[in-house]
Amino acid sequence: MVQGMKKHKTNIMKRIFLFLAALAAFSCAASADDRPSSFEQLPAQARDYVNAVGNGVKVMYVTKEDDFFRPDYNVMFTNGILMEFSNSGALKKIEAKKGTISKELIPESIREFVDIHYPDAEYVEYEVGKRTYEVKLSNRLELKFNSAFHIIEVDD
């Protein structure tokens, strides 16, 4: 009977160990890994967007973030602006690591709302979701808009 209990405990311990080992292996595989890339390796849509809005600012570096499902691309400019693109090349995010984001990079409907309600605020971050748009302002407010660019949330 005692020997049967020991064997049962050993089997449970083996299962727990295997579960933890599998969990650790999966989490390592699922973690994002930024790798240096080149501008030419960006999806065409992302290259076109950067060329259209870059205003002559040089690209400092490009990275490919190997996500578990789909890679993302990050483009860092010498002026401190970081742009994130999806695997298809669609813009996901613009973030000012230093300074602020040019108003021209923000959709006109959002700019009009901000100009009326927060005329002294500058843009620090702009994010494109599946059905929403979000901006973070220099006055620490976060504004969320729906797909029709109507304000749906203000967070401070």
Side-chain angles (χ1 to χ4, degrees):
M1 180 101 169
V2 172
Q3 197 171 32
M5 291 288 279
K6 283 184 179 180
K7 191 173 187 178
H8 181 69
K9 278 187 177 181
T10 303
N11 285 338
I12 290 174
M13 292 301 287
K14 283 181 184 177
R15 287 181 183 170
I16 290 172
F17 177 77
L18 287 173
F19 172 77
L20 292 174
L23 185 63
F26 179 77
S27 66
C28 288
S31 67
D33 185 22
D34 287 353
R35 296 179 188 192
S37 190
S38 69
F39 185 76
E40 293 75 26
Q41 291 176 323
L42 285 172
Q45 183 180 351
R47 282 194 317 267
D48 293 345
Y49 183 82
V50 169
N51 287 330
V53 303
N55 296 329
V57 179
K58 290 186 178 183
V59 172
M60 188 183 324
Y61 63 82
V62 176
T63 61
K64 182 178 182 181
E65 189 176 301
D66 285 327
D67 196 350
F68 188 66
F69 298 106
R70 294 187 186 133
D72 288 336
Y73 295 89
N74 295 315
V75 178
M76 176 59 93
F77 293 86
T78 55
N79 64 355
I81 299 297
L82 176 71
M83 292 185 182
E84 184 178 331
F85 297 93
S86 69
N87 188 41
S88 67
L91 179 67
K92 291 176 69 175
K93 185 177 186 180
I94 303 173
E95 183 178 355
K97 295 293 188 178
K98 65 177 184 177
T100 57
I101 298 169
S102 171
K103 287 184 176 193
E104 288 77 35
L105 299 177
I106 308 299
E108 186 176 352
S109 299
I110 294 175
R111 285 196 322 252
E112 289 173 356
F113 180 88
V114 172
D115 287 346
I116 291 168
H117 294 92
Y118 311 103
D120 297 330
E122 306 247 6
Y123 299 93
V124 178
E125 190 174 304
Y126 168 62
E127 191 167 350
V128 180
K130 288 185 179 182
R131 294 186 184 104
T132 61
Y133 301 88
E134 188 173 328
V135 290
K136 292 181 183 176
L137 304 175
S138 57
N139 63 5
R140 305 182 108 187
L141 286 178
E142 296 179 19
L143 310 176
K144 188 179 267 189
F145 297 84
N146 64 15
S147 59
F149 296 105
H150 297 115
I151 189 81
I152 56 174
E153 187 178 320
V154 177
D155 192 14
D156 57 354

